[in-house]
Amino acid sequence: MDMALPPFMGSSSLLPTGTLLESLIHTSHEISSMENLPSVQMRNVSTMIRRIKLLYSLFDEIQETKCPLPPSSILCLTELFSVIRRVKLLIQGCKDGSSLWGLMQIELVSNQFYVLVKEMGRALDILPLSLLNITADIREQVELLHRQAKRAELFVDAKELHRRDDLLEIMTSNNEKNIKNKGFIDMGRLKEILSSIGLTSPLDYEEEISKLEAEAQKQAGTGGLIVVSNINNLISLVSFSKSIIFTSGENEKIKEDIKQRSALNRYDPSLISQSVLPNIPDEFRCPISLDLMRDPVIVASGHTYDRNSIAQWINSGHHTCPKSGQRLIHMALIPNYTLKSLLHQWCQDNNVPLVESASSSSTDLERSNNKGKLCENAIDHISAMKAAADAVKMTAEFLVGKLAMGSPEIQSQAAYELRLLAKTGMDNRRIIAEAGAIPFLVTLLSSHDPRIQENAVTALLNLSIFDNNKILIMAAGAIDSIIEVLQSGKTMEARENAAATIFSLSMIDDCKVMIGGRPRAIPALVGLLREGTTAGKKDAATALFNLAVYNANKASVVVAGAVPLLIELLMDDKAGITDDALAVLALLLGCREGLEEIRKCRVLVPLLIDLLRFGSAKGKENSITLLLGLCKDGGEEVARRLLINPRSIPSLQSLTTDGSLKARRKADALLRLLNRCCSQSHNPVG
C-alpha cells in the first residue's frame, strides 16, 4: 500500500504507531480477560482467546521495548487490529446473543471463527519478526501461532451438532403420525438439550426468550421471513418448555396475579373438573381468563381474547388493552378467523366440544380449567398452515366486503384490520390482494376522515412489501392518490407512510420512471424532508435515493431544492439521518445540476472532513465519494480548500488504512489528486 501512495505519504506517517499499539493491547486484553464463556461454541471461543493471549504478549513486549517499529510491520499490525476487533465482536455475540439461535447457526458461526483464524495467519505472513526487538520466547510463541493458524481447519463441535439435530427433530416431530397417535414432545429430551446450553432456571428461559425476540427484530429487515419464522418457532418452543418444566409456584403465582388484575375471575374453581379438558396449548388460552378460548376476537391493539372475557373487561369501564395497556381507538371486536380455525381443528382432534360463547353469557368460562398445569399438544404443521391460509382468506374477504359496503366507521375498522393483517407474512399480503382489497384501499386514500386515510395508506404500504402487489398497486392507479396524501395528508403519519410506500414501490425500476415522471412526487418528498419528523425525514430521504438511482430523476431532485436541505440535515445532529442524506448527495453528483449545486455550499467541505473522522463506515464511503467528485473535473477550488484545512490530510491518511476497501481506494485517489494539485502550485504538501 505504501508504494502506491504519493511522495508526501511516507509509510512512517501512515498511522500513529503509538495509538495502534495501544488499541491492539487494549482490545486483545479485553478479549483475554473475558469470563463466563458461552455454552455454545465454547471450544472455538476458548481456542481463539488463547491465540489472542499470545498476540497480547507480543504487543505488550513491543510497547515495552519502546523501539521504533520497522515500517514493514505497520501493515501487519493494522491487519491484525482489524481481525482482533472482529474476533471481539464475534465472541461478544456468542456470549450475549441467543444460545438456541447460536446452536441453530452452528456451522455458520464456526465458519466465521475459521475465516478469522485464516486472516490472522495471512496477517502474520507479513510480520517481520526478525526485525522486531522481542525475546526468543515471544518469537517462538508467535511463530508457533503462525504455523497453527496456517494449518487450522474448520472445527464444528460434534456434540453441539448432535444437539442441534436433536432439536430440529423435536421441532419437526409434529407430523401426521404423531397427531394420529396422540404423541407428545419428549420433554425429558428437550429439557436435556436446553440444560446443555445453559437454560436451567425460569430466569434463564425468560432471558433466552428476550434474546430470541431481539434476534427476530434484528433479522426482520435482512434475514427474510423464513429466518424470522424459524426464530419465532424457537420462541414458542422455549415458552412452551418453560410452562411445562416449571409448573410450581412461580407460574401459578403469575397467573393468579393476572386474574386478580383483570377483575374477571367471577367463577368458582372448585366447580371445574380436571378431566373436562385435555392439555391446552398456551396459544389457545385467553390472556385474561387463562382458559380455552371459545370465540376468539381481535381488539384494536391487535391482541386476541375470548369474546366473553374482553366484553366483560370493556363493559366494566376499561378502554385499554389488558395485555399491552394500550388505549383502544375503537371498541369493535373483530373475529379472529385464523385462530378460530386452529381451535376447531384442535378441539376436533381432542374430542372437545366447542360451543361458541354469547357475549352476555359466562357459561363457557365456567367450563374452562384455570389450574395452568397443562402441556401443549402437537399440531400437524401442514394442515395448520392450510387452515391458517384458509382463515386469512376468509378474514380478508370479510373485511374487503366491509370496505366496499360499510359505513365510514365500518370502513375505518376494516382498513385498520387489513393494515394489521398485512403487517406480517408474505402469504397474508398475497391473499389480501387476491381478495380484491387494493382498489378499495386506493379509493379510501381520498377520504376526508383522517383515520380512514391513515389506515388505508398504511395498509397499502404493508401490502407493497410483496413484490407482485407493487405492480397491482400501480395498476390500480394508486400513485397519484399516494402523492396527494404525501403532499397534503390529514395526519403526519399518513404523509410519512405515503413516503415509505413510494420508497417501497420504487424498488421496481419501471416504478422509478413512473413516479419520477409525476410532477408533484419529488417536490412532495422534498417538502416532507423539510417538515417531517425524524422518521418522516428518513422515509423521504430513502425514497429520494431510490428515485435518484434513475438518472433522469436526479435533475428533478436538485430542482426541487433537495441539496440545501440535505446539507442542512448533515449539520443537524437531532435529525439522525446523516448517512441517508450523504447517500442522496453522493448520487446527485452524477448529474451536472447536482454537482454545481453541491459545489456552491462552502460549509460542506469541512463537514465532510469531520465525517471522514467520526462518521459511520457507510458515511465515510459517501463522504469520500463526495470529496473526490467535487475535486475532479474543474474542482481546483475545492481541492485548495481541502489542502488548507489542517484536518483533511490526516483524515484521508487514516481512511487509507482503516476504511472499507471502497473508501481506501477513493481516499488514495484523492490523495494523489491533491498531491498533483500541490505540485502544480509549487507548494508540495508534507
Side-chain angles (χ1 to χ4, degrees):
M1 183 183 293
D2 293 340
M3 298 300 293
L5 294 172
F8 66 85
M9 288 283 293
S11 59
S12 60
S13 63
L14 189 64
L15 195 71
T17 305
T19 303
L20 176 59
L21 271 174
E22 288 172 5
S23 299
L24 283 165
I25 290 171
H26 176 72
T27 308
S28 55
H29 178 68
E30 281 186 324
I31 297 172
S32 303
S33 305
M34 284 184 174
E35 298 178 349
N36 301 323
L37 299 187
S39 304
V40 180
Q41 295 289 348
M42 184 176 289
R43 178 167 166 183
N44 275 327
V45 170
S46 58
T47 304
M48 185 63 82
I49 290 176
R50 190 169 64 250
R51 292 186 175 110
I52 299 299
K53 283 181 179 178
L54 291 176
L55 290 175
Y56 172 70
S57 301
L58 169 67
F59 305 144
D60 193 41
E61 183 153 322
I62 290 174
Q63 188 182 53
E64 284 180 0
T65 60
K66 298 182 180 178
C67 295
L69 282 176
S72 55
S73 66
I74 294 178
L75 179 59
C76 169
L77 294 179
T78 303
E79 293 297 325
L80 281 175
F81 183 50
S82 173
V83 172
I84 290 171
R85 279 192 301 183
R86 283 180 287 152
V87 166
K88 178 186 171 184
L89 290 174
L90 182 57
I91 295 177
Q92 203 67 51
C94 292
K95 281 168 59 69
D96 298 340
S98 160
S99 299
L100 265 180
W101 186 240
L103 190 64
M104 299 296 286
Q105 300 283 95
I106 181 171
E107 287 105 336
L108 176 63
V109 179
S110 297
N111 189 62
Q112 289 174 340
F113 278 103
Y114 172 70
V115 168
L116 287 172
V117 171
K118 286 301 180 185
E119 287 189 23
M120 186 184 294
R122 285 193 291 272
L124 291 172
D125 283 343
I126 56 174
L127 180 65
L129 275 175
S130 59
L131 301 180
L132 297 178
N133 186 19
I134 56 176
T135 63
D137 285 345
I138 295 294
R139 183 176 285 106
E140 287 176 7
Q141 288 178 5
V142 175
E143 287 172 346
L144 177 62
L145 172 62
H146 185 201
R147 289 194 299 271
Q148 290 175 343
K150 298 296 285 185
R151 293 198 308 264
E153 296 181 354
L154 174 64
F155 173 77
V156 182
D157 193 309
K159 290 182 179 178
E160 291 178 357
L161 201 58
H162 181 67
R163 288 179 196 134
R164 194 276 309 273
D165 292 342
D166 278 354
L167 185 63
L168 286 173
E169 186 180 336
I170 289 171
M171 292 178 69
T172 57
S173 64
N174 300 351
N175 53 33
E176 186 174 352
K177 180 179 178 182
N178 282 347
I179 288 293
K180 288 181 178 178
N181 294 336
K182 308 299 179 192
F184 295 90
I185 291 176
D186 184 346
M187 288 307 303
R189 186 177 170 199
L190 179 57
K191 182 179 178 181
E192 184 180 346
I193 294 171
L194 297 178
S195 297
S196 71
I197 59 171
L199 305 187
T200 57
S201 70
L203 181 60
D204 293 334
Y205 280 70
E206 290 296 336
E207 288 179 352
E208 181 66 16
I209 290 169
S210 298
K211 290 175 181 178
L212 284 168
E213 288 172 344
E215 186 66 35
Q217 285 188 336
K218 174 183 169 185
Q219 295 285 348
T222 56
L225 288 171
I226 294 176
V227 174
V228 175
S229 175
N230 289 338
I231 296 173
N232 286 332
N233 287 339
L234 288 174
I235 293 172
S236 298
L237 186 67
V238 177
S239 301
F240 164 62
S241 303
K242 176 177 176 288
S243 66
I244 301 307
I245 295 171
F246 304 101
T247 55
S248 57
E250 294 182 37
N251 283 347
E252 204 63 39
K253 183 179 178 182
I254 291 171
K255 292 173 183 177
E256 190 61 35
D257 288 344
I258 294 174
K259 290 183 182 181
Q260 290 174 2
R261 283 199 301 271
S262 69
L264 294 175
N265 186 18
R266 300 176 182 175
Y267 56 92
D268 184 2
S270 64
L271 298 176
I272 301 171
S273 170
Q274 290 284 353
S275 61
V276 171
L277 294 178
N279 302 312
I280 308 172
D282 288 342
E283 293 81 2
F284 296 162
R285 293 190 182 124
C286 173
I288 293 174
S289 67
L290 300 180
D291 298 327
L292 178 68
M293 285 187 275
R294 305 290 179 168
D295 186 8
V297 293
I298 305 169
V299 297
S301 65
H303 291 102
T304 297
Y305 301 92
D306 184 73
R307 183 185 294 275
N308 229 343
S309 298
I310 192 63
Q312 290 183 41
W313 171 266
I314 292 171
N315 292 337
S316 63
H318 296 93
H319 300 288
T320 56
C321 170
K323 196 169 182 180
S324 67
Q326 178 183 344
R327 186 167 185 83
L328 302 176
I329 61 173
H330 62 74
M331 299 300 149
L333 304 178
I334 309 299
N336 188 334
Y337 290 110
T338 304
L339 186 57
K340 195 169 187 178
S341 176
L342 293 173
L343 269 168
H344 273 288
Q345 179 188 336
W346 181 84
C347 290
Q348 185 177 11
D349 289 345
N350 291 276
N351 298 317
V352 176
L354 182 64
V355 181
E356 293 186 9
S357 60
S359 57
S360 60
S361 169
S362 62
T363 55
D364 286 333
L365 293 173
E366 295 175 285
R367 297 192 208 107
S368 302
N369 187 348
N370 74 325
K371 293 300 180 183
K373 300 178 180 179
L374 307 172
C375 66
E376 180 176 305
N377 190 18
I379 299 175
D380 182 88
H381 183 66
I382 296 174
S383 61
M385 289 296 290
K386 183 179 183 303
D390 290 344
V392 170
K393 182 180 178 183
M394 188 188 309
T395 304
E397 290 171 350
F398 169 80
L399 293 173
V400 169
K402 297 299 181 184
L403 284 182
M405 302 173 60
S407 65
E409 184 65 23
I410 295 296
Q411 285 180 327
S412 177
Q413 292 172 12
Y416 180 77
E417 296 305 327
L418 284 171
R419 167 184 176 174
L420 292 179
L421 196 59
K423 194 173 182 179
T424 55
M426 288 298 184
D427 282 340
N428 287 8
R429 296 170 186 132
R430 174 183 56 79
I431 291 168
I432 292 169
E434 289 173 355
I438 289 174
F440 293 107
L441 290 169
V442 171
T443 302
L444 294 179
L445 291 176
S446 57
S447 171
H448 296 294
D449 186 324
R451 292 176 304 163
I452 293 178
Q453 185 185 74
E454 184 177 303
N455 288 330
V457 74
T458 310
L460 287 170
L461 167 61
N462 293 339
L463 289 171
S464 71
I465 297 170
F466 183 56
D467 280 347
N468 192 55
N469 286 351
K470 292 178 171 66
I471 299 167
L472 296 177
I473 291 169
M474 296 296 288
I479 191 59
D480 289 323
S481 298
I482 293 171
I483 293 170
E484 179 64 29
V485 175
L486 170 65
Q487 192 171 39
S488 53
K490 305 296 181 185
T491 65
M492 183 57 73
E493 186 175 349
R495 293 180 63 193
E496 292 172 353
N497 287 343
T501 306
I502 288 177
F503 166 74
S504 178
L505 295 173
S506 63
M507 299 295 287
I508 296 179
D509 289 340
D510 289 345
C511 294
K512 289 182 176 71
V513 179
M514 294 174 66
I515 296 170
R518 297 296 201 277
R520 293 187 303 153
I522 289 174
L525 286 170
V526 173
L528 185 63
L529 196 63
R530 182 186 300 107
E531 303 163 3
T533 65
T534 298
K537 289 176 179 177
K538 186 176 181 67
D539 288 334
T542 51
L544 286 170
F545 177 88
N546 255 14
L547 293 175
V549 169
Y550 179 61
N551 283 328
N553 290 335
K554 288 184 171 69
S556 300
V557 176
V558 176
V559 170
V563 171
L565 269 176
L566 291 166
I567 294 173
E568 185 180 328
L569 288 170
L570 290 180
M571 297 184 287
D572 185 1
D573 292 334
K574 294 180 181 178
I577 63 164
T578 300
D579 287 353
D580 300 293
L582 283 171
V584 179
L585 288 169
L587 263 184
L588 296 180
L589 274 181
C591 73
R592 178 180 54 81
E593 296 88 345
L595 181 59
E596 290 174 358
E597 189 69 20
I598 294 170
R599 276 181 177 163
K600 288 179 185 176
C601 181
R602 297 192 63 84
V603 301
L604 182 60
V605 170
L607 195 60
L608 293 175
I609 292 170
D610 286 340
L611 288 169
L612 288 181
R613 301 167 65 203
F614 306 116
S616 66
K618 196 65 183 173
K620 289 178 181 179
E621 278 188 13
N622 285 319
S623 297
I624 191 65
T625 298
L626 280 162
L627 286 171
L628 184 59
L630 290 169
C631 290
K632 281 183 175 179
D633 303 326
E636 291 81 9
E637 182 187 352
V638 177
R640 283 193 293 271
R641 279 155 48 196
L642 267 177
L643 286 168
I644 63 175
N645 190 310
R647 299 191 304 274
S648 61
I649 300 302
S651 298
L652 291 170
Q653 291 175 347
S654 177
L655 197 60
T656 60
T657 56
D658 290 341
S660 65
L661 179 62
K662 181 179 177 182
R664 291 202 303 264
R665 194 165 56 241
K666 292 193 175 186
D668 188 51
L670 182 53
L671 283 167
R672 290 176 180 278
L673 189 152
L674 293 176
N675 194 37
R676 286 198 300 271
C677 179
C678 191
S679 300
Q680 289 168 5
S681 62
H682 306 290
N683 183 26
V685 180

